[in-house]
Amino acid sequence: MPPFTRRAFVVATGATLVSLLSGCGNSDDREDGDGGLDAADFTHGVASGDPLPDAVMLWARAVPATAAARSARLHYVVARDPGLTQVVLRGSVTSAAERDWTVKLDLRDLAPDTAYYYCFESASARSPVGRARTAPLGGVARLRLAFVTCSNYVAGYFHAYRRVAERSDLHAVVHLGDYIYENGSQDQVRPHEPAKELVGLADYRQRYAQYRADADLQELHRQHPMIWIWDDHEVANNAWKDDAEAHDADTEGSYAERRFAAMQAAFEWMPIRAPDAADPSRVWRGFRFGDLADLTMIDARHHGRDAPLPPNSLFGDAVPVFTQSGDFADASRHILGPVQEAWLGGQLAANTAHWQLIGNQVYFSPLKLLGGPRALGGGGLYLSNDKWDGYDPARSRVLEMIRARSGGNVVILTGDAHEAYAFEVTDDPNGLGYQPLSGQGSAAVEFVATSITSRGDLPAGNGPTALLAQLAANAEQLLRLTNPHLKYYQNTLNGYLLLDITPERLQAEFWMVPRVTERNDEQALTQAFTVQSGSNHLVSSRQASEPITGGPAAAP
């Protein structure tokens, strides 16, 4: 374990820092002058996030025992062992009503690739012990990350989160958005609170509180640091920078005010660093895992996205993107916005790690139902104007950035779809420049993680279940006819994506749970793909990667 050579320090939003206090549970040893702690309950577990080689965020929520209280003074301890005996940092922090009783600490001057165990204490209660982990630095031989997305509370139980929590060898969990759902749906597995569409700050806070009361989600946060970015449902369905399809100004008021409230609640409840003061809505940011992988998290939903093109009346939101006349080739339309697009280009050009990972909300690869090669003037009916294929030529500009990167090895990780996909990324999958059998002409690969619950389950029993399963199986074959870059499609199960990375290859594994409308402890690997360094080519596999042994112990 790397030496701890300097005293750690902490940046705490709204906190008062006091050093050299006692460990959690040892209140009798607290120093004189501490001023005492307030009685408060830790209602939603603990969490960590945004790991850097020398820093990590900690989070907790402490609600005072006295209803009239406006703040609660707490104690925290950070140690190198699960028993909290090898203490590296002690201090105090205050939760306050204006932050919905949440506490966020930005611990600094930590050792790289090191597990830190922590807890919080009030005068009346002690939080669970959590485990944070800093990112590695320098030469890294192997890295394991889990990618999750789309956890609709009413659609099912969160045991897929529990399966991720049990993987003690993960360096971090990356959440690609739709962490909460803002709708008022009540008619599925378990009801939403409040029982209405979210509009104001109190609404969003209550919904986060409901989700974070879930024991499986609490365990995920307790065991692993999370790198999170939002998608649309953290605010409103099918959102863009100025509005959302699901927002009705006549009944729900100002969209700008609604978005501000949603984002405030998100920053209170998620273990993410405070936004840029010059741009309070900015969540796009980068992370480095030594020389092995850079992770660039983009916001393809709220920051710079223009309104989507009008839907086609015959095919729902499908829209012909590539046409011979170029009617839809409007260079002024953005999905990232000019500032973020330039930043992404700079990241791809400057980052030097062996693999370049891009965390992304909506799938980058086009899915075509009809049409021929783009180079031959063939039009195309694409599946959704909400995805990147509805925002050309912005997509083409980013693809040029990817192709220009020296060394290749770009991997796009995507959420939102409630289905699992694996793509080889190319500008025209049906064009002569791409060879689907060898992968020649592919510029990158893309993996789309299925949902934690939002897909729901097929109906149980015989008859309709068998029919739906057969239709789902046929759907892949139909899509493959006009989408040779599509190598995997699964649209009936929920689960998560696991990445196992070495300098020589990256392996992506689709892990699924059998059902989410009833609790279970099962999971299964449904498909894996390996990508050899420099190839941008998906090779199918059914073999799971071996866990990393000898890693840090889980939080007790």
Side-chain angles (χ1 to χ4, degrees):
M1 192 175 290
F4 189 81
T5 56
R6 292 188 294 164
R7 180 188 179 276
F9 70 92
V10 63
V11 178
T13 303
T16 301
L17 303 183
V18 179
S19 63
L20 301 177
L21 300 178
S22 67
C24 284
N26 298 325
S27 54
D28 291 343
D29 297 330
R30 202 171 289 112
E31 289 190 351
D32 293 339
D34 174 19
L37 304 180
D38 295 314
D41 294 324
F42 297 97
T43 56
H44 291 83
V46 294
S48 66
D50 277 13
L52 303 175
D54 63 347
V56 71
M57 297 292 297
L58 301 186
W59 180 98
R61 186 171 190 250
V63 179
T66 303
R70 301 302 298 169
S71 64
R73 193 163 185 267
L74 316 168
H75 171 232
Y76 62 87
V77 62
V78 181
R80 289 203 170 189
D81 65 307
L84 304 181
T85 61
Q86 302 173 31
V87 175
V88 298
L89 181 65
R90 299 182 176 99
S92 67
V93 66
T94 301
S95 74
E98 60 264 27
R99 298 189 303 274
D100 202 18
W101 307 112
T102 61
V103 169
K104 292 167 69 172
L105 308 175
D106 192 353
L107 301 183
R108 297 281 178 163
D109 275 356
L110 304 178
D113 198 19
T114 301
Y116 290 92
Y117 303 84
Y118 63 94
C119 75
F120 295 82
E121 182 187 28
S122 72
S124 58
R126 178 184 179 184
S127 78
V129 175
R131 181 185 70 162
R133 187 173 183 177
T134 52
L137 183 67
V140 178
R142 194 171 170 202
L143 178 71
R144 276 165 76 88
L145 302 170
F147 290 79
V148 296
T149 187
C150 300
S151 46
N152 191 350
Y153 188 88
V154 303
Y157 298 107
F158 288 167
H159 40 268
Y161 278 147
R162 177 76 63 164
R163 304 290 82 79
V164 176
E166 292 165 350
R167 292 183 176 272
S168 61
D169 62 344
L170 298 179
H171 290 81
V173 174
V174 182
H175 204 296
L176 297 166
D178 291 346
Y179 181 96
I180 66 165
Y181 277 67
E182 88 297 352
N183 60 63
S185 176
Q186 304 295 317
D187 57 355
Q188 299 184 46
V189 177
R190 45 186 181 170
H192 262 147
E193 297 173 1
K196 64 172 186 174
E197 184 97 0
L198 309 182
V199 177
L201 178 58
D203 298 338
Y204 286 100
R205 283 172 166 175
Q206 185 177 355
R207 188 65 55 85
Y208 274 101
Q210 181 186 33
Y211 276 55
R212 289 290 282 274
D214 182 273
D216 295 323
L217 180 52
Q218 284 192 19
E219 186 64 7
L220 175 70
H221 279 297
R222 194 172 76 90
Q223 297 293 350
H224 302 298
M226 179 177 284
I227 298 171
W228 164 85
I229 200 161
W230 49 46
D231 194 12
D232 53 342
H233 287 288
E234 281 88 352
V235 182
N237 187 40
N238 287 345
W240 61 92
K241 65 180 181 181
D242 298 320
D243 208 343
E245 179 185 290
H247 182 75
D248 184 347
D250 291 338
T251 60
E252 296 173 327
S254 163
Y255 178 73
E257 292 179 5
R258 179 181 183 178
R259 190 175 94 147
F260 184 84
M263 292 181 175
Q264 177 178 335
F267 278 110
E268 289 170 347
W269 279 84
M270 300 305 296
I272 183 176
R273 287 186 175 82
D276 187 337
D279 185 359
S281 68
R282 174 174 174 168
V283 295
W284 33 284
R285 61 207 193 280
F287 297 88
R288 167 157 288 190
F289 296 88
D291 64 354
L292 186 57
D294 290 313
L295 172 62
T296 302
M297 300 291 285
I298 61 175
D299 177 1
R301 183 64 74 178
H302 299 288
H303 178 82
R305 175 191 278 247
D306 292 312
L309 293 170
N312 183 291
S313 60
L314 293 179
F315 298 96
D317 69 348
V319 63
V321 176
F322 301 135
T323 66
Q324 194 168 7
S325 63
D327 292 339
F328 294 92
D330 182 355
S332 68
R333 296 184 69 252
H334 280 270
I335 188 169
L336 298 180
V339 174
Q340 186 183 186
E341 185 178 296
W343 172 82
L344 174 60
Q347 293 286 104
L348 289 170
N351 286 350
T352 58
H354 198 78
W355 296 92
Q356 295 298 311
L357 313 179
I358 300 176
N360 168 55
Q361 288 71 56
V362 293
Y363 50 74
F364 187 84
S365 298
L367 279 174
K368 179 181 281 192
L369 292 178
L370 300 171
R374 184 180 182 187
L376 300 180
L381 182 66
Y382 286 73
L383 279 179
S384 178
N385 61 345
D386 180 60
K387 317 306 182 191
W388 277 85
D389 53 28
Y391 287 86
D392 237 351
R395 178 184 178 274
S396 294
R397 292 194 299 268
V398 172
L399 190 55
E400 289 174 3
M401 298 173 188
I402 291 173
R403 288 193 182 278
R405 181 183 182 267
S406 175
N409 289 345
V410 175
V411 182
I412 302 171
L413 291 312
T414 300
D416 182 72
H418 308 173
E419 299 169 335
Y421 299 85
F423 296 102
E424 291 178 348
V425 177
T426 179
D427 55 347
D428 185 1
N430 295 283
L432 298 177
Y434 170 61
Q435 302 297 319
L437 294 181
S438 65
Q440 182 178 349
S442 173
V445 297
E446 179 178 15
F447 299 105
V448 181
T450 190
S451 54
I452 291 294
T453 61
S454 302
R455 164 55 55 181
D457 290 335
L458 289 173
N462 298 319
T465 301
L467 176 60
L468 287 171
Q470 186 61 47
L471 290 173
N474 291 341
E476 179 174 11
Q477 300 308 314
L478 292 172
L479 286 174
R480 293 286 289 273
L481 290 176
T482 50
N483 296 278
H485 62 313
L486 174 63
K487 307 303 180 183
Y488 178 64
Y489 174 57
Q490 215 299 333
N491 70 342
T492 63
L493 295 172
N494 298 272
Y496 61 94
L497 180 71
L498 177 69
L499 287 195
D500 188 276
I501 308 173
T502 70
E504 295 76 27
R505 66 97 181 101
L506 176 146
Q507 178 156 319
E509 301 174 7
F510 293 93
W511 288 86
M512 307 292 184
V513 297
R515 295 184 67 79
V516 294
T517 53
E518 56 192 45
R519 298 185 184 278
N520 61 78
D521 295 328
E522 303 171 48
Q523 66 174 342
L525 175 66
T526 60
Q527 181 64 55
F529 290 94
T530 59
V531 184
Q532 296 299 318
S533 178
S535 72
N536 299 321
H537 179 48
L538 298 176
V539 178
S540 177
S541 172
R542 295 283 181 177
Q543 184 67 41
S545 57
E546 292 293 328
I548 298 176
T549 59

